[in-house]
Amino acid sequence: MEWADGLVDPGRDDSGPPEFEFEPTVDAGGDGVVDTMVFRADLASGEAGLVIAADLDGDGMVDRVTTVEDDGDFVGFVHDEADAVWTVTERGSL
């Protein structure tokens, strides 16, 4: 659930990207570092979809998640480790 200020409530089960164990299998940057994983999941919207999760800073923790519903709607999230909050940074439809 997106809040008016674009933040996602970390205390709600139905907000933010789905929970998962991060096991990257893709080198998305072409730099030889496996930093991204892609999988299907049930999303907070109630739709099934694709999840792309990435560790952009190399610390082993997911910092960015993009979810894409089967109908093409997508939401991009960035994680702020200091506040443990996911922020919606983009949304749209493909």
Side-chain angles (χ1 to χ4, degrees), residues 1-3 7-19 42-47 67 69 75 77 86 88 91:
M1 167 158 309
E2 183 181 357
W3 290 58
L7 297 178
V8 178
D9 180 357
R12 291 185 56 136
D13 291 337
D14 63 347
S15 68
E19 293 198 21
D42 292 329
L43 307 177
S45 64
E47 301 285 329
T67 60
E69 295 177 359
V75 179
F77 302 92
W86 287 97
V88 175
R91 64 174 49 241

Side-chain angles (χ1 to χ4, degrees), residues 19-32:
E19 293 198 21
F20 56 90
E21 187 171 329
F22 185 55
E23 297 177 6
T25 58
V26 177
D27 171 13
D31 58 3

Side-chain angles (χ1 to χ4, degrees), residues 67-79:
T67 60
V68 183
E69 295 177 359
D70 287 344
D71 66 2
D73 291 343
F74 67 89
V75 179
F77 302 92
V78 173
H79 189 253

Side-chain angles (χ1 to χ4, degrees), residues 19-60:
E19 293 198 21
F20 56 90
E21 187 171 329
F22 185 55
E23 297 177 6
T25 58
V26 177
D27 171 13
D31 58 3
V33 177
V34 178
D35 55 10
T36 303
M37 69 182 284
V38 179
F39 61 97
R40 289 194 54 79
D42 292 329
L43 307 177
S45 64
E47 301 285 329
L50 188 68
V51 178
I52 303 117
D55 170 17
L56 301 178
D57 60 10
D59 67 355

